[in-house]
Amino acid sequence: MGIRRKVSEDAGAAALAAIKQALCSTDPATDFAALPRTVRATGVRYLLEELATLAPGNSVEVRVPPFGVTQCVAGPRHTRGTPPNVVEADALTWCQIALGFATWGEKAALISASGLRSDLNDYLPLF
């Protein structure tokens, strides 16, 4: 069963276009932060939904506070408490690695990843 998208394709594409433009600038961190909160939130949620579509499952929880969370990657299902495999990143870092502006290895210091299945390198970039 596929995931239920909450972000429409059009809204997601529009948000990603604005985010990509910010990430291509000479000062991506400042330009990303200057985007409206709704654009950043929509882009992050759309990327999380895309990851869950490309790597369906429930063994890894990916958190991008305060914008969103998803479960993905096939494996043992997590049902209660803190999941054994957790990835957490800020919105800028998540967008950079999900869109291919940086690699997992380049941003490893900014990503909190715990558990055997938490390396998402095989699934990123998403596009």
Side-chain angles (χ1 to χ4, degrees):
M1 180 171 117
I3 66 151
R4 291 177 300 177
R5 286 196 176 267
K6 294 181 181 179
V7 177
S8 73
E9 294 282 334
D10 291 339
L16 291 187
I19 289 170
K20 286 178 182 178
Q21 185 174 5
L23 296 179
C24 286
S25 74
T26 56
D27 188 1
T30 300
D31 291 349
F32 181 81
L35 291 171
R37 187 179 195 280
T38 55
V39 170
R40 289 180 283 137
T42 300
V44 165
R45 291 176 186 140
Y46 186 76
L47 291 170
L48 288 169
E49 289 177 357
E50 190 66 24
L51 175 63
T53 300
L54 296 174
N58 296 92
S59 68
V60 179
E61 187 167 288
V62 180
R63 302 172 181 168
V64 185
F67 299 124
V69 63
T70 194
Q71 290 187 352
C72 58
V73 183
R77 182 173 176 79
H78 160 71
T79 56
R80 299 184 71 201
T82 302
N85 303 290
V86 177
V87 174
E88 188 167 319
D90 62 85
L92 173 61
T93 302
W94 170 245
C95 289
Q96 287 174 321
I97 62 172
L99 293 171
F101 286 88
T103 66
W104 182 273
E106 291 169 346
K107 295 295 182 175
L110 300 174
I111 301 167
S112 172
S114 64
L116 296 174
R117 300 174 189 275
S118 65
D119 184 353
L120 299 179
N121 210 24
D122 291 343
Y123 306 104
L124 300 172
L126 296 172
F127 301 102

